[in-house]
Amino acid sequence: MNTQGIAILGSTGSIGCNTMSVIESFDDGRFRVVALAAGRNVVRLAEQVERHRPELVAVEDEASAEGLRAELERRGVGAPRVAVGEAGLVEVATHESARTVVSATVGVVGFVPTLRALEAGKRVALANKETLVIAGELMTKAAASSGAELLPVDSEHNALHQCLRGERREEVRRLILTASGGPFREKSLSAMAAATVEEAMRHPTWSMGAKVTIDSATLMNKGLEVIEARWLFGFGADEIGIVVHPESVVHSMIELVDGSVIAQLGVTDMRHAIQYALTYPERHASAALPPLDLAKLGALRFEAPDEKRFPCLRLAYRALRAGGTLPAAMNAANEEAVKAFIDGHIRLTDIPLVIEGVMDQHETRPVSSLDVVLEVDRLARAAAAIRIRLLSEGTKAVA
C-alpha cells in the first residue's frame, strides 16, 4: 500500500479538523499530512503540526507566522517551513508530496490555490463550493487538461457522486439536492427580518462555520450548490432540483428516466463524505464513523422550498442560467452581505437585496481568464459595499 500525501487548505476549520479526524482513524499509514494552510488560529494549527509534523504550513500573515513559531517553541516542537498569504496557500496546494488536496477554505480565498492544485494534476477533495460557483468553467478545464480528479466533499454533492456511480448520463433525468431548511424553515418573513446573528447561527442539524451557517439560513448555500452541481456533473439548471428535508438524513438523490429515485442516506457527520473522497474509488470501514440506525429515524419529511421567503434560491438559478461572470458577481455580493449581517450593519433579509442589486447592474461577460474573474469579484464587492451602506443608513434612520 502506497502512502497518500495529503495537503489541507483551511486545516483549522470544521472541514479541516474533520479531515484530521478521518486521517487519524486510519492507523495503517495510508495517509500522511504533508502540508497545512490556516488563517490566524495558530494555537489549533500548532496542535496539528505537533501531531502530524507536516513539511510546510501557511498562515494568513507575518504576525500569524510569528505567533505560530512562538506557540511551537512553547510546545518544544520544531517549526516546519512557514509561508504566508495567498502565495503560501498556493505552495500548500501544489506541494510536490501531496497527492490529494483538501480544499476547505471558505469563500473566494480558496479560488486561486484550488485552481493551481488542479493545474498541477492533484486530486482535489473540494469543500469550497465558491470556487466552482465563480469559475466552474476554468476549474473543469484545468482538471481536464492536467488529468486532475475533482471529488466533492460537500455532503450533498458527495451523495450525488455516490448515487451516480454506475449510472449512464442518459439514464438520469435530474439531480435532487436536499436542504435542511435552516433555522427559519417555519418562520415568517417578519421574524426573519428581525432575526439576530445568534438565531441565524442555530442550524438545526449541522455544525459549520459562520459564513456557511448564515448561507444555510438564507438558503443561498443551496443555491451555490446548484451551480456547483452543474460543473461537477454536467447537468443544466432545469435538471437540478431542491427539496427541503429537515432531518438531513437523505443527503441527496437522483431521479432516473424510468421514474426510479436513488438516494444516499447517512448520519449528519461530514467525516463520511471526507473519507469517501480520500479513499475513492475504494471504501473502507472506520471506527470513527457512526452507523445510521434506521429503526430510530421515525418519519422523513420532504417539502418544496419557499422562494418568497428565500429569494436567494431564485437569484442562484438566475445566475446559473445566465452563466458567464454573473455567478461570480453574485457570490462576491453574497460574501459581503453575509459579513455585513454578522457585523450588525444589515438585516438577514437585506442579504438578497444586496445580491440582487449587484446582479442587476452587472454586465455579464465570458469567464475567459483568472484575471477576469478576480476583476469581477473586486467590482462586485465594491458595488455591494455601496448598497450595504445605504441599507445600513436606512435601518438606522428607521430605528
Side-chain angles (χ1 to χ4, degrees), residues 4-6 8 20 23 31-36 52-55:
Q4 183 181 163
I6 307 291
I8 305 174
M20 292 292 196
I23 290 171
F31 303 112
R32 181 171 72 92
V33 176
V34 299
L36 298 173
H52 292 277
R53 305 300 172 103
E55 301 166 14

Side-chain angles (χ1 to χ4, degrees), residues 104-128:
T105 54
V106 177
V108 74
V109 67
F111 168 49
V112 174
T114 303
L115 178 60
R116 298 303 181 221
L118 292 171
E119 291 172 343
K122 306 293 186 183
R123 167 185 277 192
V124 172
L126 186 67
N128 179 308

Side-chain angles (χ1 to χ4, degrees), residues 151-171:
L151 294 171
V153 169
D154 267 348
S155 61
E156 296 83 358
H157 301 90
N158 190 272
L160 291 172
H161 193 279
Q162 295 186 54
C163 291
L164 289 167
R165 288 178 73 160
E167 302 297 339
R168 297 197 306 271
R169 173 64 180 85
E170 61 270 20
E171 295 175 331

